[in-house]
Amino acid sequence: NAGVTQTPKFQVLKTGQSMTLQCAQDMNHNSMYWYRQDPGMGLRLIYYSASEGTTDKGEVPNGYNVSRLNKREFSLRLESAAPSQTSVYFCASRITGTPNTEAFFGQGTRLTVV
Amino acid sequence: GQQLNQSPQSMFIQEGEDVSMNCTSSSIFNTWLWYKQDPGEGPVLLIALYKAGELTSNGRLTAQFGITRKDSFLNISASIPSDVGIYFCAGRNQGGSEKLVFGKGTKLTVNP
């Protein structure tokens, strides 16, 4: 069972570089999410997608763009990386519309911007 | 935005001791969740609570959904070394967009 797979696991970028974080789930979930985790801050929602073709901003969307490529894949793009975007990024997926179902998380992408 | 206050921030205990942590909110939630995160891993769901007053157990873990809908606690009994990690509470208000709000976490260290 792969669950939620994130690539890459680690990345170092220079300020101003761009990159895309990839996320794929094989559980046929309709909703997908991107969170960032900073020390002492818990997880904060960047963007989410309730279904294929739809995306919405979360709590901290500035500096990011997302694409829900299909039902399985939800990517997060940093167009011009900044040191403030150094963080651990988690993708999650969930079935919504079905009672009492909760999100599964990937293992994270550890991003450092220098 | 909505915020969850999770306490304590960290705990250092001896193996075999019981642990208690809690979350409070100024907002009402319809769902409370407790996750555990091991180093280098993503959060894993421990317990989900869907009704005010609900008390749910998962092995040595017990969690309760506060009657006011603004708080929840998690207890771990007879701690063992593999309980080490960061525990997060999360709340969801299904009247909105079903987004989760996370607490800042409780870092648990268990000394053998």
Side-chain angles (χ1 to χ4, degrees), chain A residues 33 35 37 40-45 48 57-59 90 94 96-97 99-108 110, chain B residues 2 31 33 35 37 39-45 48 50 86 88 92 94 97-105:
Chain A
Y33 309 83
Y35 291 88
Q37 182 179 31
M41 293 295 293
L43 282 85
R44 294 182 293 170
L45 184 65
Y48 69 102
K57 295 179 180 180
E59 182 184 355
F90 288 100
R94 174 175 175 244
T96 50
N100 301 357
T101 57
E102 301 304 333
F104 289 80
F105 284 81
Q107 289 191 309
R110 284 146 186 82
Chain B
Q2 295 175 311
T31 298
L33 307 172
Y35 285 89
Q37 185 179 28
E41 302 288 332
V44 174
L45 183 66
Y50 299 107
I86 303 177
F88 292 99
R92 182 169 64 237
Q94 290 173 337
S97 57
E98 299 205 7
K99 291 179 285 188
L100 280 179
V101 178
F102 280 84
K104 295 182 179 181

Side-chain angles (χ1 to χ4, degrees), chain A residues 24-113:
Chain A
Q25 52 91 11
D26 61 1
M27 296 174 283
N28 204 35
H29 288 172
N30 55 312
S31 293
M32 297 185 73
Y33 309 83
W34 275 106
Y35 291 88
R36 62 177 287 173
Q37 182 179 31
D38 301 299
M41 293 295 293
L43 282 85
R44 294 182 293 170
L45 184 65
I46 305 171
Y47 270 95
Y48 69 102
S49 170
S51 62
E52 185 178 350
T54 68
T55 61
D56 285 287
K57 295 179 180 180
E59 182 184 355
V60 288
N62 291 345
Y64 305 95
N65 286 302
V66 290
S67 296
R68 184 73 182 268
L69 304 169
N70 47 55
K71 191 171 186 179
R72 289 187 64 248
E73 298 172 290
F74 188 37
S75 62
L76 178 72
R77 183 160 178 84
L78 286 70
E79 291 291 352
S80 179
S84 61
Q85 294 179 303
T86 293
S87 188
V88 182
Y89 292 85
F90 288 100
C91 177
S93 70
R94 174 175 175 244
I95 294 178
T96 50
T98 300
N100 301 357
T101 57
E102 301 304 333
F104 289 80
F105 284 81
Q107 289 191 309
T109 295
R110 284 146 186 82
L111 176 67
T112 302
V113 183

Side-chain angles (χ1 to χ4, degrees), chain B residues 37-56:
Chain B
Q37 185 179 28
D38 292 326
E41 302 288 332
V44 174
L45 183 66
L46 298 174
I47 292 180
L49 301 159
Y50 299 107
K51 291 175 60 175
E54 180 180 359
L55 184 71
T56 297

Side-chain angles (χ1 to χ4, degrees), chain B:
Chain B
Q2 295 175 311
Q3 289 187 328
L4 294 184
N5 297 310
Q6 185 171 352
S7 64
Q9 279 189 309
S10 61
M11 302 182 74
F12 298 83
I13 63 169
Q14 293 296 126
E15 183 176 358
E17 291 183 353
D18 296 343
V19 172
S20 184
M21 59 191 79
N22 69 84
C23 268
T24 60
S25 171
S26 57
S27 304
I28 289 173
F29 289 106
N30 289 337
T31 298
W32 282 95
L33 307 172
W34 286 92
Y35 285 89
K36 183 193 178 197
Q37 185 179 28
D38 292 326
E41 302 288 332
V44 174
L45 183 66
L46 298 174
I47 292 180
L49 301 159
Y50 299 107
K51 291 175 60 175
E54 180 180 359
L55 184 71
T56 297
S57 293
N58 178 7
R60 293 178 295 106
L61 278 61
T62 302
Q64 184 157 29
F65 190 144
I67 198 73
T68 64
R69 296 179 177 269
K70 293 183 178 182
D71 63 324
S72 178
F73 72 75
L74 174 71
N75 287 341
I76 305 172
S77 63
S79 58
I80 59 178
S82 62
D83 290 335
V84 165
I86 303 177
Y87 292 79
F88 292 99
C89 63
R92 182 169 64 237
N93 182 344
Q94 290 173 337
S97 57
E98 299 205 7
K99 291 179 285 188
L100 280 179
V101 178
F102 280 84
K104 295 182 179 181
T106 295
K107 185 175 182 179
L108 180 63
T109 301
V110 180
N111 296 316

